Amino acid sequence: MDILRINDVRIGFTVHGLARDVVKGVSLRVPAGKTVALVGESGSGKSVISQAIMGLLPRNGGVTGGEILFRDPQTPGSSVDIAGLKPEGKEIRALRGGRIGMIFQEPMSSLSPVHTIGNQIEEALQLHRPTGKAEARALIEAMLKRVGFKDPARAYGLYSFELSGGLRQRAMLAMALICQPALLIADEPTTALDVTIQAQVLDLMRDLQAEMGMAILLITHDLGVVANMADEVVVIYHGEIMESGPVEDIFRRPRHPYLKALLKASPHFDMEDGERLVALREARPRPPAAARPPKPAETAAPLLSVSGLRKTYTTGSRKFFGKGTLSTVVAVDDVSFEIRRGECLGLVGESGCGKTTVSKIVMRAVTPDAGEIVFDDGRSRTDVLALKGEALREFRPRVQMIFQDPVSSLSPRMTVMSILREPLVIHGRGEGADQIGRVRALMEDVGLDARFLNRYPHSFSGGQRQRIGIARALALDPELIICDEPVSALDVSVQAQILNLLKDLQAERRLTFLFISHNLAVVNYMADRIAVMANGRIVEIAPRHTLFTQPAHPYTKALLKSVPFADLDRPLDFKLAAPGGASDQSHWGKAFRQERDGSALTQVALGDGHFVLANPGIDRREMV
Amino acid sequence: MLLQYILKRILVMIPTLLVTSALIFTVINLPEGDYFETLAAEMAAQGEKADLSRIEFLKKEYGFDKPPLERYVWWVAGLLKGDMGYSFEYQRPVNEIVGDRLLLTMVVSFFTIIFTWVVAFPIGIYSATHQYSWGDYGLTFLGLLGLAIPHFLLALVFMYTANVWFGTSIGGLVDPQYLNQPMSWDKVKSVLEHLWIPVIIIGAGGTAGMIRAVRANLLDELQKQYYVTARAKGLPPGKALRKYPLRMSLNFFISDIGDILPSIVSGAEIVAIVLSLQTTGPLLIRALQSQDMYLAGSFLMFLSFMTVIGVLISDIALAILDPRIRLQGAATK
């Protein structure tokens, strides 16, 4: 039996008086107790469909045709056409939260910060199933326990900002499922989470589904998640369904070219050396940059040597009198690495592991407590941390940064011309005409039309904006570029374009990259060597191939195990993937743990540039 | 935890008030001369022979022959004991003069604030939830009118129309026969009869500003994801609005209490003069003109004290209302 059946639904929006169809005749079904994945890029209309099912379309949008039939298993034989219900009427409100639950991408903003978790869950319960106070409390605590809160009685009184991202999403799940809905709509439920947490939350969703027998409509762009979760797949593109069917058919015999392209556009672990991603839409062709004059006196010395970096932050309340409860958090602890000229070093780790702090220290935006950074351009060695005043200003152009969020990293009040010209003006590179010529050349280099120079960032798409960010970083001919999650805010197809662009630029200009990402597949595609960070320390560093084939550190292993593959033959082992968070040291082997009294951990060499953070006396066999 | 926070805030108030008192004292002493010289000059100009020996005596009596620093210390010491000094012009202690008017001022201001909130909140909420509708435009226009018209002009228009059409005088806060009479039921009735006009006039501008603020704050909150979550739970729109976005937008108004308290006390000076209200505003202006330094200084000090107390109250209220401030108050440094 189908819980949900969408027949030829059209959804239109009115923007500035113009009506526009965003969803153009979509039909799909969600069978009882099954998971259906709705896959597409941003702007494909997948979220709009979920809003229509919940009756939560924005005021300027509406269902203009077709029907959305919801058949409640509790009242078999009758079905409701949600599209025909009044948007704020009693009937639809009874379905919402009662029979259809929903969770969202951003668990932080989806929960009210001024109400406790328990209060928000109880509200959902009381709305649909009025229950006595004590009984409600017991029900909610049981639910919180079920979704993985260790101390449900305490969790009831907590606020969302006191929880980690994974726990917030668990709280959302508890809220959506407290009334035991027949259908759960999950809109990119794990996109904002780290891989290991993602594996846990997905695992929880599967378990709950098996227990409660609900159907799940999973909206995502991650084919790895789809392969591991879905029974049926619906691929949507520009408001139209490209392909749909059982997951076996979709992954083994993709027919539609769009789906084939989508599968090819995402980086994965077993790519051949030198294999390129195939972008969904080929970007504007760009001429290869002119070969640069050879650098004088190339030496074997690494371009950047970092040793013994340490940075602590002090948090807690500072009382008016006395010392208060100050606690020190070690963000970066004894981090050492080298980047060779022309190489791309990947830096991988979960959120909060200190990878961004490292990049800020290298940029001289944050001052470390201890450590040394040496920048060696082949002619002279520079002690980066000792630079001051004018010397620091002269050093700045040599290290540039590409940021994660292409929207907030470009000033909305400056034209592209001023954005790209600003670094040239600040550092006095050339005169007016020279600078404009240089800016035009930069636009060509990153594959943008130089005619767009007078536009503002808001008139560009996310991918184009990231290209502007790249051009800005290139403007001063830096020797080292730090890429901080440069593609994590972009769609799969655009991501492929940007990654290819970065690769081309690196080859043409002999650039050196420090590439920071939480996405192992992306790092695998870009980096020559990879450093893995956990709890502020580099736990393993190895050439790309070695790291993926012979990971030694339990944290690296857990990370690798938690990445869902877009391949039905390699299902994610949910139970093995990081029980209780991969960076929790208590799950690591004794040889990798920092004992209170034991000797300090050191980087143990495993040969061939492969180092792992462990006890000096570690038994090699433990690592296999 | 909360108690410690409050204690800490009260301790911080002490240096703040000390600095303010020094500033007020300095500013009031900046102009040439003092009240007695102004008085002597005025009398001389009117051809009267000033009793110089008496003025000398008064100067000595009030310590005006002492260095300013010493006078400042005496003044602050008096304030600490609740003694606000002596008004030369009224020949009475400042406490008595201000005390009379303070009650009336507070009554007017209190009702003005209530009026502002009662009118502004529903309109602001309507405007935000019906953004870009005709209702929104119309109410916004009315509000802007209220903002654009100066208070005193509105007061004059009210007085004129009342006089011409109804033949009544609406000046004052109480019928003349009750002036300086002890409080009685009739006096209260008379005050209430007069009250609505200044309340509307003073409230008009504040209401318009408040409507804009409610609308803007609420519009921000309506975009937030947690509001969608609330509706996805099946909450009826009104209830969802009250529990989530409205509650969040309240923060702004609570942090505004710090500004409201002193304005309760000082009242709207110009409107008070036009309508000849017996509030504290006109008193302060007159005191500043005649360099009646204890009256002016002590009254200004009282206002700053109200501001500091207001900020304290709003901080405590925010800490109670918003767990983010209560639990994360000491942010990461």
Side-chain angles (χ1 to χ4, degrees):
Chain A
M1 190 190 79
D2 293 342
I3 295 274
L4 187 77
R5 198 183 271 276
I6 296 180
N7 291 326
D8 197 28
V9 155
R10 312 181 71 82
I11 300 170
F13 277 82
T14 317
V15 181
H16 301 305
L18 288 172
R20 200 166 65 90
D21 270 1
V22 190
V23 173
K24 304 154 188 160
V26 159
S27 304
L28 62 89
R29 64 180 196 124
V30 183
K34 298 284 183 198
T35 301
V36 174
L38 185 56
V39 186
E41 297 169 71
S42 51
S44 59
K46 55 189 197 305
S47 287
V48 174
I49 293 176
S50 73
Q51 288 167 349
I53 299 170
M54 292 295 276
L56 287 174
L57 283 172
R59 214 181 301 147
N60 59 344
V63 179
T64 50
E67 49 182 13
I68 302 173
L69 294 176
F70 178 71
R71 191 178 301 162
D72 196 331
Q74 285 181 346
T75 53
S78 69
S79 61
V80 200
D81 179 11
I82 294 175
L85 295 179
K86 269 212 316 245
E88 290 296 343
K90 251 208 169 108
E91 294 93 342
I92 183 86
R93 287 210 317 266
L95 289 181
R96 262 188 226 156
R99 303 307 303 150
I100 310 177
M102 186 161 182
I103 59 174
F104 304 92
Q105 174 171 355
E106 262 306 328
M108 176 72 204
S109 52
S110 310
L111 288 163
S112 160
V114 300
H115 298 90
T116 58
I117 301 294
N119 175 309
Q120 294 180 64
I121 300 176
E122 176 160 7
E123 178 181 59
L125 179 68
Q126 299 291 5
L127 266 173
H128 301 284
R129 280 205 272 148
T131 318
K133 201 76 189 156
E135 198 189 334
R137 174 97 192 196
L139 269 174
I140 291 161
E141 285 183 7
M143 192 69 206
L144 283 172
K145 190 166 184 63
R146 182 60 202 89
V147 296
F149 280 89
K150 294 213 171 61
D151 184 354
R154 189 173 155 266
Y156 186 95
L158 289 179
Y159 293 94
S160 62
F161 54 82
E162 296 178 278
L163 303 175
S164 67
L167 280 180
R168 281 178 205 142
Q169 198 59 292
R170 286 166 190 268
M172 276 300 286
L173 265 172
M175 193 162 82
L177 300 181
I178 189 74
C179 297
Q180 309 225 331
L183 173 66
L184 174 70
I185 301 177
D187 190 353
E188 305 266 11
T190 55
T191 309
L193 305 176
D194 282 321
V195 270
T196 50
I197 309 294
Q198 161 169 296
Q200 293 167 15
V201 170
L202 292 178
D203 183 34
L204 176 64
M205 283 171 64
R206 281 159 47 112
D207 284 356
L208 289 169
Q209 179 177 33
E211 246 173 69
M212 305 166 117
M214 71 203 166
I216 296 180
L217 178 62
L218 178 69
I219 295 167
T220 182
H221 68 272
D222 187 339
L223 290 168
V225 172
V226 175
N228 282 286
M229 294 290 290
D231 299 301
E232 292 185 17
V233 181
V234 179
V235 183
I236 185 168
Y237 178 67
H238 276 309
E240 283 172 278
I241 294 208
M242 294 289 116
E243 194 159 359
S244 67
V247 68
E248 284 280 326
D249 287 0
I250 295 288
F251 278 89
R252 301 219 191 276
R253 292 173 292 278
R255 278 191 304 272
H256 199 282
Y258 174 73
L259 181 59
K260 287 184 192 163
L262 205 59
L263 284 166
K264 268 196 209 143
S266 36
H268 49 93
F269 285 161
D270 24 46
M271 293 180 78
E272 305 288 324
D273 282 332
E275 184 185 342
R276 271 176 80 87
L277 290 173
V278 186
L280 223 47
R281 287 168 293 276
E282 211 32 72
R284 189 171 170 273
R286 50 177 218 99
R292 293 210 295 170
K295 291 247 167 189
E298 298 261 340
T299 59
L303 180 70
L304 188 81
S305 324
V306 173
S307 56
L309 277 194
R310 183 182 170 84
K311 174 75 191 166
T312 54
Y313 288 105
T314 309
T315 62
S317 62
R318 205 181 287 271
K319 276 183 196 138
F320 202 64
F321 296 116
K323 276 161 68 181
T325 51
L326 291 185
S327 59
T328 313
V329 175
V330 183
V332 174
D333 187 9
D334 194 19
V335 163
S336 308
F337 59 87
E338 292 177 345
I339 309 179
R340 291 191 278 270
R341 185 179 308 283
E343 157 183 77
C344 177
L345 176 72
L347 189 56
V348 188
E350 295 182 87
S351 48
C353 74
K355 53 191 195 297
T356 299
T357 309
V358 168
S359 75
K360 284 181 180 162
I361 293 174
V362 176
M363 290 290 294
R364 280 291 305 268
V366 166
T367 310
D369 304 339
E372 192 183 31
I373 301 176
V374 175
F375 189 87
D376 187 345
D377 62 357
R379 280 159 298 181
S380 61
R381 289 161 58 84
T382 316
D383 181 358
V384 175
L385 293 176
L387 290 175
K388 272 203 202 85
E390 186 57 25
L392 176 61
R393 211 182 74 89
E394 272 170 21
F395 172 75
R396 291 237 184 254
R398 307 169 77 174
V399 182
Q400 289 289 311
M401 192 149 182
I402 298 169
F403 298 95
Q404 171 172 9
D405 184 356
V407 178
S408 59
S409 58
L410 299 175
S411 164
R413 289 174 190 80
M414 285 163 82
T415 60
V416 177
M417 172 62 98
S418 0
I419 288 172
L420 295 184
R421 205 175 150 187
E422 193 179 35
L424 301 174
V425 174
I426 290 174
H427 289 280
R429 297 278 173 88
E431 291 307 312
D434 290 351
Q435 288 176 352
I436 290 171
R438 173 97 181 97
V439 168
R440 289 181 169 276
L442 279 173
M443 287 291 271
E444 290 291 334
D445 284 352
V446 297
L448 287 174
D449 195 328
R451 282 175 303 175
F452 296 162
L453 275 170
N454 287 326
R455 295 196 190 168
Y456 289 87
H458 68 81
S459 56
F460 294 92
S461 68
Q464 286 174 323
R465 271 186 250 200
Q466 198 56 296
R467 284 169 192 271
I468 298 171
I470 294 171
R472 189 199 51 75
L474 288 174
L476 294 167
D477 275 326
E479 280 152 271
L480 174 67
I481 295 187
I482 299 174
C483 310
D484 191 357
E485 305 262 10
V487 292
S488 59
L490 304 174
D491 267 322
V492 185
S493 58
V494 184
Q495 178 178 315
Q497 290 177 6
I498 297 291
L499 291 177
N500 284 339
L501 172 69
L502 286 172
K503 272 207 139 175
D504 292 348
L505 288 169
Q506 189 194 10
E508 286 161 14
R509 303 173 164 238
R510 305 203 14 68
L511 289 170
T512 310
F513 282 149
L514 174 60
F515 195 96
I516 299 170
S517 180
H518 69 277
N519 188 331
L520 285 163
V522 167
V523 173
N524 178 40
Y525 181 62
M526 289 298 295
D528 304 309
R529 287 188 307 134
I530 298 174
V532 181
M533 257 185 110
N535 305 330
R537 305 194 71 163
I538 291 186
V539 295
E540 189 162 7
I541 186 162
R544 173 179 76 91
H545 202 65
T546 317
L547 188 88
F548 281 93
T549 48
Q550 304 151 22
H553 198 278
Y555 178 73
T556 316
K557 288 178 185 167
L559 271 190
L560 287 172
K561 266 188 216 141
S562 315
V563 176
F565 287 97
D567 183 349
L568 294 177
D569 298 326
R570 274 192 288 174
L572 192 57
D573 190 341
F574 286 105
K575 299 299 171 207
L576 265 181
S583 56
D584 184 355
Q585 294 211 16
S586 57
H587 293 289
W588 297 355
K590 197 168 177 294
F592 300 98
R593 258 177 298 179
Q594 177 79 57
E595 299 296 341
R596 213 165 271 277
D597 49 344
S599 52
L601 300 178
T602 51
Q603 296 285 349
V604 177
L606 301 177
D608 207 14
H610 188 176
F611 294 88
V612 65
L613 185 72
N615 268 312
I618 186 172
D619 185 350
R620 290 292 158 91
R621 278 165 301 176
E622 257 190 79
M623 284 185 257
V624 195
Chain B
M1 176 75 191
L2 190 64
L3 211 69
Q4 268 178 352
Y5 175 75
I6 295 172
L7 206 73
K8 185 173 139 190
R9 293 304 315 259
I10 291 178
L11 284 177
V12 172
M13 280 168 60
I14 295 172
T16 314
L17 284 173
L18 270 179
V19 171
T20 327
S21 66
L23 273 177
I24 288 175
F25 191 82
T26 318
V27 169
I28 287 182
N29 277 301
L30 270 184
E32 286 284 309
D34 50 43
Y35 174 75
F36 305 103
E37 279 163 22
T38 320
L39 183 72
E42 251 176 50
M43 284 165 83
Q46 286 162 14
E48 289 176 44
K49 193 165 104 42
D51 186 350
L52 281 178
S53 62
R54 182 173 157 69
I55 283 179
E56 277 308 309
F57 169 76
L58 281 173
K59 268 193 161 185
K60 227 187 181 72
E61 177 79 20
Y62 293 111
F64 273 73
D65 52 344
K66 303 246 168 61
L69 192 67
E70 207 178 319
R71 276 190 288 149
Y72 169 70
V73 171
W74 276 113
W75 178 55
V76 172
L79 283 180
L80 286 180
K81 284 182 287 185
D83 174 12
M84 296 170 75
Y86 191 82
S87 164
F88 311 121
E89 182 154 13
Y90 294 86
Q91 308 263 333
R92 280 160 66 199
V94 173
N95 292 23
E96 275 180 32
I97 310 168
V98 175
D100 262 6
R101 293 175 170 241
L102 205 56
L103 185 69
L104 279 178
T105 314
M106 284 181 165
V107 167
V108 173
S109 304
F110 179 75
F111 279 99
T112 310
I113 288 168
I114 297 292
F115 169 80
T116 311
W117 282 0
V118 165
V119 176
F121 263 90
I123 294 184
I125 292 169
Y126 178 89
S127 283
T129 49
H130 297 76
Q131 196 190 7
Y132 302 138
S133 68
W134 283 110
D136 177 27
Y137 286 132
L139 290 167
T140 302
F141 178 73
L142 269 184
L144 285 179
L145 266 189
L147 202 61
I149 298 173
H151 289 170
F152 69 89
L153 189 69
L154 204 59
L156 287 174
V157 171
F158 260 79
M159 275 167 76
Y160 177 79
T161 40
N163 219 339
V164 168
W165 290 353
F166 306 111
T168 55
S169 159
I170 59 168
L173 260 183
V174 57
D175 280 334
Q177 74 231 39
Y178 297 113
L179 255 183
N180 295 326
Q181 292 294 309
M183 205 37 95
S184 65
W185 183 237
D186 287 331
K187 184 170 174 179
V188 171
K189 267 203 331 210
S190 163
V191 168
L192 286 181
E193 270 169 29
H194 284 79
L195 196 60
W196 63 275
I197 291 173
V199 163
I200 290 177
I201 292 169
I202 301 172
T207 308
M210 187 73 85
I211 291 176
R212 305 301 300 164
V214 174
R215 181 176 180 271
N217 274 292
L218 202 55
L219 275 178
D220 271 357
E221 296 299 331
L222 285 176
Q223 309 294 327
K224 299 278 171 74
Q225 182 72 43
Y226 61 77
Y227 181 54
V228 179
T229 310
R231 294 203 300 146
K233 272 189 241 178
L235 270 183
K239 211 171 159 197
L241 182 78
R242 277 196 303 279
K243 179 162 176 185
Y244 295 100
L246 194 59
R247 159 82 189 269
M248 301 286 269
S249 66
L250 278 185
N251 274 14
F252 169 81
F253 301 98
I254 289 167
S255 53
D256 206 35
I257 293 180
D259 290 339
I260 289 176
L261 260 195
S263 74
I264 283 191
V265 179
S266 73
E269 293 85 359
I270 299 178
V271 176
I273 291 173
V274 171
L275 289 176
S276 60
L277 304 179
Q278 294 87 1
T279 57
T280 49
L283 192 71
L284 176 63
I285 290 180
R286 173 71 201 134
L288 287 171
Q289 279 170 343
S290 65
Q291 286 188 296
D292 192 350
M293 72 150 286
Y294 286 119
L295 180 56
S298 299
F299 191 70
L300 283 178
M301 206 48 224
F302 186 64
L303 286 186
S304 350
F305 185 66
M306 283 315 216
T307 314
V308 177
I309 291 283
V311 171
L312 177 71
I313 291 176
S314 69
D315 279 357
I316 294 172
L318 276 179
I320 291 171
L321 196 72
D322 194 332
R324 284 171 299 181
I325 296 170
R326 185 166 68 243
L327 300 173
Q328 295 184 310
T332 318
K333 287 201 179 84

